[in-house]
Amino acid sequence: MTQIITSFAEIAPRYRALFCDLWGCVHDGKKPFPGAIAALQAFRAQGGVVVLISNAPRPKPAVLEQLDRIGVPHDAYDEVITSGDATQYAFLSGAVGHKVHHIGPMPKDQPFFDEFADPTLAALAAKSPVELVPLDQAEGILCTGPNDDMNDTPADYRAAFLLAKTKGLVMLCANPDLVVDFGDKRIYCAGALAALYEEMGGEALYFGKPHPPIYDLARRRLSDLAGDLPNDAILCIGDGIDTDVLGAMQEGLDSLFLTEGLNAGQFGPADALEAETLHGWLADGARNPTYVMGMLR
């Protein structure tokens, strides 16, 4: 049965590396969480490796800029992997064609098209560029989020999705998350648009959590830092039950589910979780995190 803990220090010595989610776990889009920062710093001080894995549609360089901007210290992590990084490989390889219609906030998501964590991606972009075109000229769709990510809802895209489905276009989803909390405002992510497109009969491809490509990339980067570690040496941390926890389960990795993210307040106070309610909810969803706590600290 899932173990409820109150401090990360209780389990930290069991692991050599963390695959830790960012938004809702380390920061809220505006500021870092002091307890989470302290926990990650302590883990690294004891020799652990922290790989931050985000479903952000933007690549690593842009996320590093954001972390610096909101004050996440460099000594809290060793590496950053994003859904944007993983999706760039598919996008530049022509997974949905070379004439692609983009849905997403600009210029916010411009880094997806011109910033690359891997130099081979820059070479691929130069050798075989993808042209961004109107929907009626497109061979496929790239979705990095709603165009107005602070206000749009998936329903705003029904007409466009009807046309896209009729044309048989495949959507490349750069962020499988459905929603995220930006400060105290909950906003839709690309995953919510992709879910609607699939409900309407369209096809979507995903490369972020809980899907394998982002974990493959994370393992390669972790290997560069710490060698090839066995599964039982890696712990996944996150507040997404259907992304972080499900992804860990599918990869054969232990997980720590943080209830005070997307499910804040659902299971009682963060420091006194209601075990019966929590375990019932996990069982109903067929999700089995190894550990649970309110917030990372």
Side-chain angles (χ1 to χ4, degrees):
M1 180 176 289
T2 297
Q3 177 184 348
I4 297 176
I5 62 173
T6 57
S7 169
F8 180 61
E10 296 175 39
I11 61 171
R14 304 175 191 178
Y15 300 97
R16 294 177 58 192
L18 306 180
F19 285 169
C20 184
D21 185 38
L22 259 174
W23 211 305
C25 300
V26 177
H27 68 75
D28 66 356
K30 294 184 176 181
K31 62 184 185 305
F33 302 139
I37 297 301
L40 296 179
Q41 289 171 326
F43 183 76
R44 292 189 69 243
Q46 295 171 6
V49 177
V50 175
V51 179
L52 300 177
I53 303 185
S54 172
N55 266 353
R58 291 164 296 285
K60 172 184 173 179
V63 172
L64 289 175
E65 290 175 10
Q66 181 193 30
L67 296 181
D68 287 344
R69 186 170 63 251
I70 65 178
V72 175
H74 290 192
D75 64 352
Y77 60 91
D78 296 277
E79 178 62 284
V80 174
I81 309 291
T82 76
S83 180
D85 292 334
T87 306
Q88 281 179 328
Y89 287 94
F91 176 74
L92 294 172
S93 298
V96 293
H98 283 84
K99 291 182 179 292
V100 176
H101 178 66
H102 174 231
I103 299 172
M106 296 291 274
K108 179 180 178 180
D109 285 350
Q110 183 62 41
F112 180 91
F113 303 101
D114 50 33
E115 294 185 10
F116 308 102
D118 184 343
T120 62
L121 286 173
L124 183 60
K127 179 181 178 181
S128 183
V130 176
E131 181 183 359
L132 298 183
V133 299
L135 183 59
D136 61 359
Q137 301 174 27
E139 299 169 347
I141 301 171
L142 168 71
C143 182
T144 59
N147 291 326
D148 181 351
D149 59 347
M150 297 302 294
N151 298 293
D152 283 359
T153 72
D156 295 323
Y157 296 84
R158 281 190 175 276
F161 288 172
L162 179 60
L163 173 60
K165 184 194 72 168
T166 302
K167 288 171 58 67
L169 304 186
V170 176
M171 175 186 289
L172 185 57
C173 176
N175 177 359
D177 287 350
L178 301 178
V179 295
V180 70
D181 291 328
F182 184 73
D184 59 1
K185 182 180 177 64
R186 180 157 291 188
I187 59 177
Y188 287 101
C189 300
L193 274 64
L196 174 61
Y197 189 52
E198 289 182 311
E199 289 173 11
M200 295 176 63
E203 179 183 355
L205 303 177
Y206 302 88
F207 290 80
K209 297 175 292 184
H211 303 279
I214 195 168
Y215 292 98
D216 293 343
L217 181 57
R219 287 176 187 269
R220 292 200 300 272
R221 300 273 179 85
L222 175 60
S223 179
D224 292 340
L225 294 168
D228 293 329
L229 298 182
N231 280 2
D232 61 7
I234 303 170
L235 176 69
C236 298
I237 302 175
D239 68 329
I241 197 70
D242 290 322
T243 51
D244 303 297
V245 174
L246 178 59
M249 291 173 62
Q250 293 175 163
E251 293 292 318
L253 302 173
D254 287 355
S255 63
L256 168 58
F257 174 54
L258 305 178
T259 63
E260 291 300 293
L262 294 171
N263 297 94
Q266 188 170 336
F267 310 107
D271 57 353
L273 296 176
E274 299 169 358
E276 185 175 349
T277 301
L278 174 63
H279 288 136
W281 181 77
L282 292 173
D284 288 344
R287 301 291 181 257
N288 186 33
T290 316
Y291 315 100
V292 173
M293 67 186 302
M295 298 182 69
L296 183 60
R297 58 186 178 181

